[in-house]
Amino acid sequence: MASSTRGGRGDVKGFFRQRKKSAGIAKPKGNKSSPNHSATLGSDVVQPAALISHASLDLTDDYHENEEVLRQFDMNMAYGPCLGMTRLARWERARSLGLNPPKDVERLLREPHVRADCLWDGRI
Amino acid sequence: MAAMEIDTESNLQRKQSVYQLMDEGFEIQKEMYRGQQYSQIYFARLHLMRTLLYSLLPNWKPQLPVCTVLGLEKGKECIIVGTLFKHMKLKPRVLDEYSKEKSAAPLVKPHNFVHQDDHLVLEDESGRVKLRGNVLLPSVYVTGIVVALHGKETDAGDFWVEDILESGLPDQIELPLKSGDDKYVVFVSGLNVGSSVSNPLQFQLLVDHITGHLGDEKEQSIAAQIVQVVIAGNSVEIPHGLLNGQNLASKDQSKMSEPIKELDILLTQIAAGVPLDIMPGPNDPANFSLPQQPLHRCLFPGSSTYNTFKSCTNPHFFELDNVRFLGTSGQNIDDLDKYSEAKDKLEFMERTLRWRHIAPTAPNTLGCYPFTDRDPFFIERCPHVYFVGNQDKYETRLMKGSEGQVVRLICIPRFGETGIAVVLNMRNLECHALSFGTQFSS
């Protein structure tokens, strides 16, 4: 094991670099723009936005109570998994399998400006 | 004996049948993949078949309560309905590659993964429970079947099975058997054009027989009663060395397309005279996962110009003169053969009909498209003829259902190896083999 007293001090230390060229570790710049839901309040800590939005820290979303109804529909296990399908397709499947999904969910889904995908879409 | 004359008035006319294609459920052009997982198809399957089983329960054991897996109480006799999962000791798992210990698992994988320690588990949306009992033999069942079980929860937390209810054969439209003329359907599979084993002369003989170029007038009049030819998969064999993903030299490119060109020439001869259905198989240039999509028209520039030529999906479902035909190129039965045991391939076929599902092991061990809202392998109406291609030998049986259904089960052997095609008479559902040999006695 090379020790600092071996040979001439300048020789070894000059030959075997003991410090990296760049000072410190270069932290990669976070180039991801902050998500549209600013419910994380600009912090770096990853928090599920849905959690905060339910606790009404949602500031800029046009978050209707309609979306709340649709989220409950997404989370309802009786209608099967929600990921990978549009909400309307999942409603149609529930109807054709005879599960009698609530009609007002369908009415909401046919309105404009309603999120077509389930709440986890794009987040998982 | 009178001299042979070319008698234009006695031209033999081929018989015809009314054909109806019913493959829409197997086509995936309209499907869009949105990142869904296989839980969707299992959900659809469970609900579809559970509704069906619930409707059968009053005729089976009406006095017993039905509950979910999580609602089981110790010692209470009840019925539960769910999907079977078979835990198999020898089933290869992807994670075994990463396990630290070099286990004593053999390098050569066995063909059949059944082991006496396998056990079954029943699962529904609420939970799963291990199944015990002498009624349920794990070697008979596979993952993916939906069944109803009568039994009770034991102290150990397992479910002791006393009786099992399968979906059973679906309803069948009765055929007016034994009336009308003899009309024949020829089934062939495993042509393997382009392989070193298959004999092109045998296939040419088959084509000549079907088109009436072989034999005297009596033979030709038999051939004139053939109304449909079905090719059930593995029609070509592309040399494997060319399929390693590297760029091909032009010499290799022509080597790769030669088997298809040769096949097209022979199919043109058939299509010119008889309606022809060709299904893709595991070795054909089609997609891998079930349902396999029809082979593209551009592969058959000669035969696809005929309106008698039809490229079909695998599985294939069609009706000829009200006789329903359902068949696959063999992947579903071969997969059952790997994960369960039966005395012959026909018994696997019977089981798939009784479970009312052509491919229960899909998507577990059989590649399958992740459908979200339906399960196209569920059998809605009982076929009259159920065929499976690319099997080792020709086997057939007439299966009878509990409600008077009658199904002709056919295992079509690989033609490239055996030289045997199968001929079915639609009038009485009787079957016989047509074998071609090219022995030259010296």
Side-chain angles (χ1 to χ4, degrees):
Chain A
M1 205 131 46
S3 70
S4 54
T5 57
R6 193 169 95 175
R9 198 189 143 185
D11 281 357
V12 178
K13 284 217 165 155
F15 195 66
F16 296 104
R17 201 190 312 284
Q18 302 219 343
R19 232 178 252 281
K20 278 201 176 173
K21 264 197 187 141
S22 57
I25 306 166
K27 218 177 196 136
K29 287 274 181 292
N31 48 9
K32 234 168 59 167
S33 58
S34 58
N36 273 339
H37 347 273
S38 49
T40 51
L41 298 175
S43 76
D44 277 345
V45 177
V46 173
Q47 296 233 20
L51 198 61
I52 298 186
S53 65
H54 277 280
S56 69
L57 278 181
D58 228 16
L59 298 175
T60 56
D61 274 4
D62 57 329
Y63 174 84
H64 290 199
E65 68 267 9
N66 290 340
E67 178 67 15
E68 173 68 36
V69 170
L70 292 175
R71 284 182 180 183
Q72 290 302 323
F73 171 69
D74 286 341
M75 299 301 293
N76 192 339
M77 281 216 26
Y79 307 123
C82 65
L83 254 185
M85 296 178 84
T86 61
R87 283 166 164 168
L88 193 57
R90 184 160 171 264
W91 192 92
E92 288 289 339
R93 174 179 75 183
R95 192 177 55 87
S96 65
L97 290 176
L99 299 166
N100 286 326
K103 293 242 185 321
D104 35 327
V105 171
E106 191 210 2
R107 193 178 40 82
L108 283 175
L109 286 171
R110 294 203 191 276
E111 277 174 30
H113 306 304
V114 140
R115 214 177 121 86
D117 300 312
C118 78
L119 78 159
W120 302 120
D121 192 87
R123 295 184 194 182
I124 289 188
Chain B
M1 193 162 104
M4 290 273 284
E5 289 173 309
I6 302 174
D7 194 347
T8 46
E9 278 115 52
S10 67
N11 264 344
L12 280 173
Q13 295 292 335
R14 189 180 289 281
K15 297 241 174 85
Q16 287 189 334
S17 281
V18 177
Y19 180 95
Q20 199 187 351
L21 187 64
M22 292 152 75
D23 277 344
E24 309 83 41
F26 299 124
E27 289 179 358
I28 56 177
Q29 277 78 11
K30 296 194 185 60
E31 300 284 333
M32 187 155 83
Y33 183 64
R34 312 184 96 255
Q36 66 266 28
Q37 298 190 2
Y38 288 122
S39 53
Q40 308 275 12
I41 187 176
Y42 275 122
F43 175 79
R45 185 186 299 176
L46 176 62
H47 271 273
L48 199 54
M49 300 190 72
R50 189 161 63 182
T51 313
L52 170 69
L53 283 166
Y54 279 172
S55 70
L56 297 175
L57 290 179
N59 288 340
W60 186 50
K61 296 189 181 189
Q63 73 281 11
L64 290 170
V66 180
C67 54
T68 59
V69 167
L70 222 51
L72 282 175
E73 292 166 26
K74 279 206 210 309
K76 177 173 140 197
E77 235 178 280
C78 60
I79 294 179
I80 52 175
V81 181
T83 314
L84 281 178
F85 175 79
K86 183 153 97 167
H87 187 94
M88 300 182 77
K89 193 167 160 164
L90 295 179
K91 180 177 159 196
R93 282 185 294 268
V94 146
L95 296 177
D96 286 345
E97 284 182 32
Y98 301 101
S99 72
K100 291 277 193 284
E101 67 226 26
K102 292 283 174 239
S103 60
L107 284 172
V108 177
K109 296 228 161 52
H111 167 73
N112 183 282
F113 300 108
V114 168
H115 192 272
Q116 57 183 5
D117 289 345
D118 297 336
H119 63 265
L120 291 166
V121 169
L122 191 83
E123 183 177 312
D124 68 7
E125 308 101 323
S126 59
R128 29 159 66 187
V129 66
K130 195 161 158 183
L131 300 176
R132 292 212 174 284
N134 306 322
V135 180
L136 222 51
L137 276 171
S139 60
V140 170
Y141 297 94
V142 286
T143 301
I145 313 165
V146 178
V147 288
L149 298 176
H150 159 214
K152 53 167 139 11
E153 189 183 354
T154 64
D155 292 329
D158 301 333
F159 189 81
W160 181 269
V161 179
E162 312 214 351
D163 203 356
I164 174 169
L165 175 70
E166 296 167 342
S167 309
L169 265 70
D171 292 330
Q172 190 187 57
I173 303 169
E174 214 181 296
L175 266 191
L177 286 184
K178 305 204 192 326
S179 68
D181 314 324
D182 286 337
K183 283 185 185 176
Y184 294 99
V185 178
V186 172
F187 294 97
V188 68
S189 85
L191 293 166
N192 284 328
V193 171
S195 85
S196 49
V197 177
S198 72
N199 185 348
L201 180 55
Q202 273 179 336
F203 187 24
Q204 186 64 61
L205 280 174
L206 172 68
V207 171
D208 286 342
H209 171 79
I210 293 173
T211 53
H213 288 108
L214 210 60
D216 61 354
E217 210 174 288
K218 181 156 158 274
E219 184 104 12
Q220 286 176 329
S221 61
I222 295 174
Q225 294 172 320
I226 298 175
V227 293
Q228 177 76 44
V229 175
V230 178
I231 301 183
N234 280 357
S235 314
V236 285
E237 191 172 297
I238 298 179
H240 273 243
L242 300 177
L243 295 175
N244 53 8
Q246 294 186 343
N247 286 333
L248 291 175
S250 59
K251 175 183 72 150
D252 288 338
Q253 274 184 10
S254 52
K255 240 202 298 184
M256 192 157 85
S257 58
E258 257 163 41
I260 284 270
K261 286 195 198 143
E262 200 182 316
L263 176 70
D264 186 36
I265 292 172
L266 289 159
L267 292 186
T268 311
Q269 296 174 32
I270 304 180
V274 189
L276 169 67
D277 280 2
I278 180 163
M279 294 162 59
N283 295 342
D284 287 325
N287 60 315
F288 168 74
S289 54
L290 291 185
Q292 281 184 294
Q293 298 304 290
L295 293 164
H296 202 280
R297 290 172 54 97
C298 67
L299 293 169
F300 306 107
S303 18
S304 59
T305 55
Y306 288 94
N307 66 354
T308 46
F309 176 83
K310 204 172 277 92
S311 183
C312 312
T313 57
N314 168 33
H316 184 31
F317 188 28
F318 64 100
E319 213 176 77
L320 257 186
D321 282 351
N322 293 323
V323 178
R324 274 178 191 235
F325 292 76
L326 174 63
T328 67
S329 300
Q331 292 103 319
N332 58 333
I333 300 300
D334 291 342
D335 206 56
L336 282 181
D337 197 14
K338 279 197 222 159
Y339 296 99
S340 62
E341 284 174 343
K343 67 176 191 292
D344 54 18
K345 297 290 177 80
L346 293 171
E347 196 173 336
F348 287 128
M349 293 172 72
E350 277 188 38
R351 287 180 191 166
T352 58
L353 286 179
R354 287 195 208 285
W355 295 331
R356 227 183 270 210
H357 201 277
I358 318 173
T361 53
N364 187 32
T365 46
L366 189 55
C368 165
Y369 180 83
F371 292 98
T372 52
D373 52 353
R374 62 199 173 92
D375 186 346
F377 305 112
F378 173 70
I379 307 175
E380 302 219 10
R381 284 252 169 273
C382 193
H384 299 99
V385 180
Y386 182 33
F387 62 91
V388 162
N390 295 300
Q391 297 307 303
D392 295 327
K393 53 188 172 93
Y394 163 59
E395 288 179 295
T396 182
R397 191 186 301 158
L398 202 60
M399 174 186 179
K400 300 232 168 42
S402 57
E403 316 274 317
Q405 300 98 331
V406 167
V407 188
R408 166 63 66 185
L409 306 175
I410 309 176
C411 282
I412 311 168
R414 290 182 279 268
F415 190 82
E417 289 168 21
T418 59
I420 297 178
V422 181
V423 181
L424 169 86
N425 186 344
M426 291 210 300
R427 182 178 65 88
N428 51 17
L429 292 186
E430 268 172 26
C431 229
H432 63 267
L434 197 60
S435 69
F436 296 89
T438 54
Q439 294 280 48
F440 296 102
S441 54
S442 49

